[in-house]
Amino acid sequence: MSERGNFITIEGGEGVGKTTNREFVADWLRARGYKLRITREPGGTQIGEQLRELLLRDQSPAPAEMTELLLIFAARAQHIAEVIAPALAAGEWVLCDRFTDATFAYQGAGRELSTRSIEHLEQLVQGNLRPDLTLLLDLDPRVGMQRALERGEPDRFEQEDVAFFDRVRQGYLTRAAKAPERYRVIDASLALPDVARQLQRELEVFVDER
């Protein structure tokens, strides 16, 4: 029976460079011989990607806040069943662009929904599954939103105001402060090579501890 793989997530607000830095992390792990599954949330499966498109689409009327939360966990339930749990059980490492920390940050802190409701859904959908390492890319939302807008037409979330993203950032940092054994906060305001050096340092420590 294969040894269980490790579950790494990359988190952060808009414009923090998750995609670019995810590729750095993936290349670093593959270069060391780890079999890696790269995925994202919401998404990662056919059903999840359809729900992602629905969640990000600028539409009227927009989904109610509780509808948004339940759609995210519906996508997550499928993602875990179809991709994450089987990969980990087979000994693969899973690298996921956002996971439940994003729900606590965006829907909990940003939308100001009940943390208890999110925790209940987390336990219902995930059981004991939690990331082994979370790399939190931290950046002033004003800088991040400028970067995001330069990429093209904003999606439904990217159209929120700065106060929303300030709450999202604080939500992330609060969670990181409560569980320093899992989170590594990365200063994403620096140049990409400096961000990569921070990521490499944290990955080296994590791998050495396995």
Side-chain angles (χ1 to χ4, degrees):
M1 186 174 181
S2 299
E3 182 180 348
R4 178 191 179 277
N6 284 287
F7 184 20
I8 300 175
T9 56
I10 297 182
E11 294 281 358
E14 308 305 317
V16 297
K18 285 186 293 81
T19 301
T20 300
N21 290 299
R22 183 190 67 189
E23 292 309 308
F24 171 82
V25 172
D27 289 344
W28 192 91
L29 290 170
R30 284 178 175 141
R32 281 145 189 84
Y34 296 106
K35 188 176 182 182
L36 189 65
R37 181 75 61 95
I38 301 175
T39 189
R40 68 175 182 176
E41 287 213 347
T45 66
Q46 182 176 346
I47 291 173
E49 292 297 330
Q50 290 171 344
L51 291 172
R52 178 188 181 90
E53 197 279 330
L54 180 62
L55 285 160
L56 297 186
R57 184 196 309 155
D58 184 15
Q59 58 188 310
S60 182
E65 291 178 348
M66 186 55 67
T67 303
E68 178 181 283
L69 178 63
L70 292 171
L71 286 172
I72 287 168
F73 270 103
R76 182 164 297 138
Q78 187 69 24
H79 194 200
I80 291 168
E82 189 175 329
V83 176
I84 297 174
L88 292 173
E92 294 182 54
W93 286 40
V94 175
L95 177 60
C96 190
D97 182 337
R98 291 199 175 124
F99 195 60
T100 312
D101 288 303
T103 310
F104 282 101
Y106 277 77
Q107 283 67 47
R111 300 271 190 242
E112 300 181 293
L113 292 177
S114 164
T115 299
R116 183 170 296 181
S117 295
I118 300 173
E119 289 172 344
H120 176 73
L121 289 166
E122 178 183 39
Q123 188 61 38
L124 179 68
V125 169
Q126 298 170 219
N128 294 325
L129 177 65
R130 301 292 185 276
D132 298 294
L133 173 67
T134 295
L135 300 165
L136 173 56
L137 297 166
D138 180 53
L139 181 67
D140 184 328
R142 291 147 190 83
V143 177
M145 286 308 303
Q146 183 60 43
R147 290 181 182 177
L149 291 173
E150 288 170 358
R151 293 198 305 251
E153 193 69 25
D155 62 35
R156 188 170 67 86
F157 284 94
E158 291 169 344
Q159 294 179 40
E160 295 290 344
D161 60 23
V162 172
F164 173 86
F165 288 109
D166 280 336
R167 292 195 300 273
V168 168
R169 183 191 191 190
Q170 190 55 53
Y172 271 129
L173 292 174
T174 297
R175 286 182 65 76
K178 289 179 178 177
E181 70 284 354
R182 172 162 74 89
Y183 295 85
R184 301 293 182 270
V185 180
I186 306 297
D187 184 353
S189 69
L190 303 177
L192 276 175
D194 296 318
V195 175
R197 275 191 284 272
Q198 293 177 78
L199 291 169
Q200 179 173 329
R201 182 169 62 246
E202 299 299 348
L203 288 167
E204 287 171 348
V205 171
F206 178 74
V207 168
D208 286 346
E209 291 174 348
R210 294 300 96 185

